[in-house]
Amino acid sequence: MESIKAPRGVRDILPDESWKWAFIFGVTRKIAEDFGYREVHLPIFEQTELFSRGIGETTDVVEKEMYTFSDRSGRSLTLRPEATASMVRAYLEHGMASGPQPSKLWCAGPMMRYERPQKGRYRQFWQLDFEAIGSASPLVDVEVIALSLEIFRRLGLSNLEVLINSVGCPSCRPVYRSALQGYLRERFDELCPTCQGRFDRNPLRILDCKVETCRAITDGAPDVRDHLCGECRSHFDEVLQGLDLIGAKFRIDKRLVRGLDYYTKTAYEVLSGDLGAQNAVCGGGRYDNLAEAIGGPHTPGVGFAAGLDRIVLTMEQQGLSFGREPSISVIVVVADEAARDEAVRLLYELRRAGVPSDMDTSGKGVKAQMKAAGAAKACCVCILGSSEVSRGVVALKEMATGSQEEIERERVVERLAAKMKAACC
Ligand code: HAM
């Protein structure tokens, strides 16, 4: 029988990589604190309607990419393809509107989409998701964009480009939509089959089609900015001014429409120049009508999600540091069986003192234990044999220099804990 493997497009994040993720979580958590965002743990599945109504029936995510199933009582549930709809649901369900506004929330976790797997695109991927719900102020759009850029800045990422656009609102978008359709109708036959299918249902998506002929056609398409209503136009101007004010660099991209239907006004993406085809490390925008779409009162909101898998790929590509990889500092080596109990005692004293330490449990000889200490990149080994035990000492060997000294058993934990604190271990 063939052994069972993980499903296609789904991967294990093994210890060699998971510590890098922990580093990014640490940086993100601190930034969340600095900007006043509080963490929420959201469910991994929701009622299907939340996403079909929230994200939009004609989006790729809802039409083709959701993992939807019936539970044992016949309810239709869906593994979350994103977190924004869930965050707004949680906001409404828990009456957060009665607290200070906007409610500034964030979460991290896996999202599931049935997409064609390739480098940087998985069927289960992780997002860092930030949402500010309950404010229509353009200053909040600026804050959210600034927060995402701060994550990348603190992680050291370079070669990024911020694209921004306004997708209007329900009062001006239909005007733009028909202007766009009017322009595209003339050249309908030259559009790719996918875009022909989008023409009636979701014509704005034709603007971000990657097919050459479609791009050539849309190069001359009307610009959404020429069709914005007064309110959307001034909102967009204020967002751009705010970004200028804080020194954020961006490029206005009339093709940027985003793939989720809930967006109104601001839409933005951060692209990495080091990722190839799947180059968006972050996407977000404003979604003032999402709460109503899922049955709540009108509640403006704005947020973004950054793709953790892609951040790690970019950081590796750019040779950036993930901090210090956690490793064992001390290995306790048992020189003979008579010293084993004392070695175990020492090991647990070290661990209680916060010194990452380990010892062999398989009865290896001293030489093999020393070799294992080298392989584990321990900085010191504590050697204990019956001679050391009877004399109340421990032989402490520095791995880097090979120097060895005897230390009183009573003082060894304190000494190694101090070494750790001073970060020499
Ligand atoms: P999104 O653009 O669909 O937006 O996803 C945001 C980010 O998640 C992308 O820029 C990318 O880095 C990552 N991502 C998306 N799909 C995959 C995949 N299959 N494999 C790896 N990474 C992926 C949203 O999800 C919105 N909820 C963002 C938002 C929050 N808008 C407002 N608030």
Side-chain angles (χ1 to χ4, degrees):
M1 198 167 53
E2 221 180 285
S3 64
I4 297 171
K5 303 237 164 45
R8 189 167 132 77
V10 168
R11 60 200 190 113
D12 302 301
I13 308 301
L14 297 175
D16 276 350
E17 190 176 341
S18 65
W19 68 276
K20 300 179 178 176
W21 289 48
F23 172 75
I24 297 171
F25 288 135
V27 169
T28 304
R29 187 156 280 123
K30 177 67 174 81
I31 294 172
E33 224 177 280
D34 295 346
F35 280 71
Y37 285 68
R38 296 165 74 211
E39 191 171 9
V40 177
H41 296 294
L42 293 168
I44 221 151
F45 59 87
E46 297 268 8
Q47 296 196 46
T48 300
E49 263 190 294
L50 174 70
F51 302 119
S52 52
R53 280 166 41 188
I55 298 172
E57 296 282 1
T58 62
T59 56
D60 284 352
V61 170
V62 172
E63 277 186 344
K64 298 187 260 186
E65 296 169 2
M66 294 205 303
Y67 283 95
T68 297
F69 59 98
S70 296
D71 72 2
R72 287 174 189 275
S73 41
R75 288 185 199 93
S76 180
L77 300 174
T78 293
L79 301 183
R80 61 179 184 197
E82 60 112 48
T84 312
S86 300
M87 197 70 100
V88 173
R89 187 224 12 94
Y91 170 95
L92 296 171
E93 192 168 332
H94 301 287
M96 292 189 213
S98 61
Q101 297 299 292
S103 289
K104 306 210 289 188
L105 309 165
W106 76 283
C107 73
M111 309 293 154
M112 280 64 68
R113 295 183 194 173
Y114 188 80
E115 289 192 89
R116 200 166 47 77
Q118 64 182 91
K119 187 178 171 220
R121 186 164 69 192
Y122 312 100
R123 290 185 172 167
Q124 175 174 311
F125 56 95
W126 279 63
Q127 285 186 342
L128 304 167
D129 183 275
F130 284 73
E131 312 290 353
I133 308 173
S135 167
S137 165
L139 284 177
V140 185
D141 306 42
V142 173
E143 174 177 284
V144 156
I145 297 171
L147 198 162
S148 63
L149 300 182
E150 184 61 12
I151 295 179
F152 301 132
R153 193 189 69 80
R154 283 198 209 174
L155 293 174
L157 266 74
S158 55
N159 199 11
L160 297 178
E161 190 179 23
V162 181
L163 303 182
I164 190 164
N165 196 14
S166 174
V167 294
C169 69
S171 79
C172 56
R173 198 176 315 143
V175 181
Y176 176 63
R177 197 185 140 107
S178 31
L180 183 64
Q181 278 172 324
Y183 169 84
L184 293 172
R185 191 168 287 115
E186 317 263 291
R187 306 187 60 182
F188 180 85
D189 295 339
E190 297 165 56
L191 293 172
C192 74
T194 315
C195 285
Q196 290 185 347
R198 286 168 173 160
F199 184 83
D200 284 318
R201 288 181 305 117
N202 208 341
L204 268 66
R205 287 309 307 277
I206 299 176
L207 292 172
D208 72 358
C209 178
K210 302 281 182 289
V211 176
E212 281 288 316
T213 46
C214 296
R215 286 192 88 77
I217 295 169
T218 49
D219 268 346
D223 191 325
V224 65
R225 278 171 299 156
D226 299 330
H227 295 79
L228 294 177
C229 62
E231 193 191 315
C232 287
R233 193 192 310 267
S234 62
H235 186 95
F236 194 45
D237 287 343
E238 283 175 60
V239 173
L240 301 185
Q241 279 160 19
L243 292 175
D244 278 336
L245 191 71
I246 59 165
K249 301 254 178 308
F250 58 84
R251 177 163 71 80
I252 299 171
D253 181 3
K254 70 168 189 178
R255 290 181 180 278
L256 184 74
V257 289
R258 308 272 299 131
L260 312 165
D261 274 359
Y262 50 60
Y263 290 112
T264 50
K265 297 181 176 162
T266 315
Y268 84 103
E269 275 183 4
V270 183
L271 307 183
S272 161
D274 289 293
L275 276 186
Q278 300 306 315
N279 60 351
V281 285
C282 169
R286 183 162 273 288
Y287 45 83
D288 291 346
N289 301 316
L290 173 56
E292 272 169 300
I294 62 171
H298 180 76
T299 314
V302 58
F304 74 85
L308 198 49
D309 307 73
R310 292 184 190 175
I311 294 176
V312 174
L313 277 174
T314 312
M315 288 179 70
E316 285 174 342
Q317 194 91 11
Q318 297 183 353
L320 298 176
S321 161
F322 293 89
R324 196 180 68 87
E325 183 173 2
S327 65
I328 287 296
S329 304
V330 177
I331 297 280
V332 179
V333 169
V334 188
D336 56 66
E337 267 318 297
R340 182 165 294 277
D341 285 358
E342 187 51 27
V344 170
R345 243 178 256 130
L346 173 59
L347 173 68
Y348 282 85
E349 280 176 37
L350 286 167
R351 287 175 169 177
R352 278 196 290 267
V355 178
S357 40
D358 214 342
M359 75 183 262
D360 168 61
T361 49
S362 64
K364 281 196 185 102
V366 174
K367 225 171 149 186
Q369 291 181 62
M370 292 301 291
K371 204 170 157 198
K377 298 198 180 91
C379 79
C380 299
V381 292
C382 290
I383 306 163
L384 272 172
S386 36
S387 151
E388 283 80 14
V389 174
S390 65
R391 288 182 293 121
V393 294
V394 170
L396 185 68
K397 179 172 179 169
E398 296 264 355
M399 295 299 277
T401 58
S403 69
Q404 190 166 321
E405 58 177 322
E406 283 194 344
I407 299 188
E408 281 173 59
R409 166 67 179 86
E410 274 163 27
R411 293 185 41 233
V412 72
V413 175
E414 190 189 327
R415 162 102 173 247
L416 288 171
K419 215 167 148 58
M420 278 285 304
K421 253 207 183 122
C424 339
C425 232

